[in-house]
Amino acid sequence: VDGVNFPPNMPLTLRFDATTLTPTSGSTATGTTGTFSSVITIPTTATTGAHTITAIAGAGTDSDTFTVTGGGVVPLTIDPNNGYVGISATISGGGFIPSHAFTVTWDGATTNTTGTVQPSGSFVTIFIIPAAIHGAHTIGVTDGTNTASGTFTIESTPPATPQPLRPYMDEGVSSPITFDWDDVTDPSLPVTYNLQIATSANFTTDSILINKTGLTASQYILTPDDELKVTTGVTYYWREKAVDAAQNESAWTGANSFSISQGFSFSGWPLYTTIALAAILLFLFGIWLGRKTAYTY
């Protein structure tokens, strides 16, 4: 910052907007001819855009415009910068527009986390890590003009494999057909479950009859449409696995077999026998009714 025609031999005050700065080198006062040449450092909290630099020496004052074109934003600090879905992370930074509203973004998408920048241009906020696939994600903060970002890594540990409960191995089941397994807990909640039913213990693609994903309970009752896909006289296999909110998947359980119980069917010889008995009873009733009518007359 250079100045001329100021009062000579006067202490020099330099301001960046309303902030008084101490020169890092050069003049701290005007010379005998009223000139000075000083070096100042632009504050790291300075936002992008126009700012005013003012020089004051005695009764003399003058100002000029300095435009920040970038680099004034302080990189985000994210603490912690790794963890589970649902964890609270403290986000802080600086170099934003003082007293201006800011918004937190997640992988570029706007979130509901907002706040107001402090008069110094810095900010601190708490952000709850949303459900997302494990791995690195970008957290950003913007005031509409300035943007800073950092990385948060979601854990990649799979949940425990749920243990099957019912049907038991080789059990015969009847409608309503219910499948049940252990609940699974995991730091990245909520946990959901996938269920498969197949005609092959290897669960080849062409053998899978029922494939349910995103089940929120550790139990599933086959719907009428599901039960149309299974029949008696066939051995079926079922398995399930757990998936946490970070999309980490447990291993599948082993293949558990079951069959559909043969219920009573009113067909074949039971049906024919019933028809024959009904015919005999109807015939005997006819004879009795005829004889009664004859005696009446």
Side-chain angles (χ1 to χ4, degrees):
V1 180
D2 298 321
V4 295
N5 298 325
F6 278 77
N9 302 316
M10 297 295 295
L12 178 66
T13 298
L14 297 173
R15 291 177 181 166
F16 183 86
D17 293 334
T19 303
T20 298
L21 302 180
T22 300
T24 56
S25 64
S27 305
T28 58
T30 57
T32 56
T33 59
T35 62
F36 69 87
S37 181
S38 305
V39 176
I40 63 173
T41 299
I42 303 302
T44 58
T45 56
T47 58
T48 301
H51 298 267
T52 300
I53 295 178
T54 303
I56 303 171
T61 181
D62 195 12
S63 62
D64 202 350
T65 299
F66 182 90
T67 300
V68 176
T69 58
V73 175
V74 177
L76 285 189
T77 297
I78 304 174
D79 183 29
N81 60 7
N82 63 85
Y84 305 103
V85 170
I87 196 173
S88 297
T90 300
I91 304 173
S92 59
F96 278 53
I97 301 175
S99 304
H100 199 278
F102 69 83
T103 302
V104 178
T105 62
W106 175 260
D107 286 340
T110 300
T111 72
N112 294 326
T113 302
T114 59
T116 301
V117 179
Q118 298 174 9
S120 64
S122 62
F123 62 87
V124 178
T125 190
I126 301 297
F127 181 65
I128 307 300
I129 303 303
I133 190 170
H134 52 269
H137 296 268
T138 300
I139 295 177
V141 177
T142 179
D143 61 12
T145 300
N146 305 286
T147 299
S149 62
T151 300
F152 185 93
T153 302
I154 296 179
E155 56 87 20
S156 57
T157 303
T161 302
Q163 296 303 306
L165 300 176
R166 295 289 301 271
Y168 300 125
M169 184 67 75
D170 298 328
E171 180 182 3
V173 299
S174 57
S175 184
I177 303 173
T178 302
F179 296 86
D180 193 13
W181 53 90
D182 279 337
D183 290 325
V184 171
T185 60
D186 187 88
S188 290
L189 295 173
V191 173
T192 59
Y193 305 93
N194 296 349
L195 170 68
Q196 289 184 342
I197 301 173
T199 55
S200 168
N202 295 323
F203 289 86
T204 56
T205 302
D206 59 348
S207 71
I208 297 175
L209 302 178
I210 296 173
N211 183 34
K212 300 294 180 180
T213 60
L215 299 176
T216 57
S218 58
Q219 183 186 73
Y220 183 72
I221 300 175
L222 294 190
T223 66
D225 287 342
D226 292 332
E227 292 195 4
L228 290 176
K229 300 175 183 178
V230 295
T231 185
T232 58
V234 178
T235 297
Y236 296 99
Y237 302 89
W238 70 286
R239 64 180 184 177
E240 81 283 339
K241 67 178 174 180
V243 183
D244 67 16
Q247 298 182 39
N248 297 307
E249 300 184 2
S250 74
W252 286 104
T253 60
N256 299 278
S257 61
F258 72 96
S259 59
I260 309 300
S261 298
Q262 177 68 55
F264 176 76
S265 177
F266 195 65
S267 60
W269 69 265
L271 176 62
Y272 300 139
T273 300
T274 301
I275 294 174
L277 289 173
I280 293 171
L281 290 174
L282 185 60
F283 175 73
L284 293 175
F285 177 74
I287 293 176
W288 174 82
L289 184 61
R291 294 183 65 183
K292 181 175 174 134
T293 303
Y295 281 122
T296 300
Y297 287 105

